[in-house]
Amino acid sequence: MNKPSLGFVNSADCVDMPCDAKKKVLIVDTDGTTLGKAGDTLTSFSEFEWDSEDQRWGMGDYRLPNQMTTAMDGSAVKPSNWPNKGIDRTLNGKQVCEFNTGYNMYKCSGVTYKMLIIESMDGDTEVRRLSPVALATDDGSVDLINGPMDHGWCGGYTCQQRISTFYALVIVGRSTTLLHFHSAAVNEIHAAGCCCWR
């Protein structure tokens, strides 16, 4: 799996952090011929360049939405509450994935992942930026989601309009996953789970 491209981190494409095309990939080995065991999965290296010295990547604890890092009484909540960066790889206190350098992805066993599609249905869905969106779990995982690239063209220039649709990889059966938007709360949201086609 190729790494995200820094060339797309600009105001015309993905804005200030990588888009999600290479960061939200799920491959399920349904019969065991690729990974050695039926049901094993590969998930993206979503935390690529998290807290990098090169801040052009726009990934890190400093990008967590304010409502995650501020308690109701106004006191600070430390990002260390979420030590596991990227797609959730912990189930019942145990790591279920290990990094596979050959694939440049995580190989996961004994767990089922699905794609969760989160979409703002508000009237300003293309002009109000909600990202980065943070998906956090109670066992200390947090993933930042940016959404898709701007593909519109307006008079020879990019339109700088991006749909507010976010693709997250989640573990099936997890009951405590929190979703945080970077801007004001969404009034109407649509969420749907995608399964794998066989």
Side-chain angles (χ1 to χ4, degrees):
M1 173 60 62
N2 293 327
K3 297 175 182 173
S5 171
L6 189 58
F8 289 119
V9 181
N10 63 65
S11 61
D13 295 311
C14 300
V15 189
D16 55 4
M17 64 187 286
C19 289
D20 293 331
K22 296 178 182 176
K23 296 176 61 178
K24 301 297 178 267
V25 176
L26 174 64
I27 300 171
V28 180
D29 187 351
T30 57
D31 62 5
T33 56
T34 303
L35 300 176
K37 183 179 174 191
D40 279 3
T41 59
L42 292 172
T43 62
S44 299
F45 181 25
S46 181
E47 70 275 20
F48 176 70
E49 294 294 339
W50 192 289
D51 282 337
S52 170
E53 289 183 22
D54 185 350
Q55 289 202 348
R56 293 179 300 164
W57 286 101
M59 293 289 295
D61 288 344
Y62 66 97
R63 296 305 302 274
L64 295 176
N66 289 337
Q67 67 264 34
M68 286 185 73
T69 57
T70 308
M72 292 299 287
D73 64 2
S75 61
V77 176
K78 295 181 181 177
S80 59
N81 286 342
W82 302 280
N84 306 318
K85 310 305 184 198
I87 296 166
D88 184 16
R89 294 181 289 274
T90 305
L91 186 62
N92 300 324
K94 291 191 265 185
Q95 290 291 321
V96 293
C97 305
E98 61 183 46
F99 192 72
N100 182 304
T101 55
Y103 290 111
N104 195 36
M105 298 177 81
Y106 286 89
K107 180 183 175 193
C108 308
S109 298
V111 64
T112 302
Y113 281 91
K114 296 290 182 183
M115 179 76 67
L116 176 65
I117 303 168
I118 306 150
E119 182 176 14
S120 167
M121 303 305 285
D122 291 355
D124 60 357
T125 185
E126 291 183 344
V127 293
R128 178 168 57 126
R129 183 158 187 230
L130 300 174
S131 61
V133 174
L135 192 69
T137 64
D138 64 344
D139 62 2
S141 295
V142 64
D143 193 17
L144 288 174
I145 306 166
N146 190 22
M149 179 186 290
D150 177 2
H151 287 285
W153 289 95
C154 299
Y157 299 94
T158 57
C159 296
Q160 296 188 332
Q161 294 180 334
R162 299 169 61 211
I163 58 172
S164 296
T165 303
F166 306 97
Y167 300 88
L169 295 180
V170 296
I171 295 175
V172 172
R174 177 166 308 282
S175 60
T176 50
T177 300
L178 304 173
L179 184 66
H180 300 275
F181 293 101
H182 190 70
S183 70
V186 175
N187 293 318
E188 187 177 347
I189 194 166
H190 179 253
C194 248
C195 57
C196 299
W197 296 98
R198 299 180 196 275

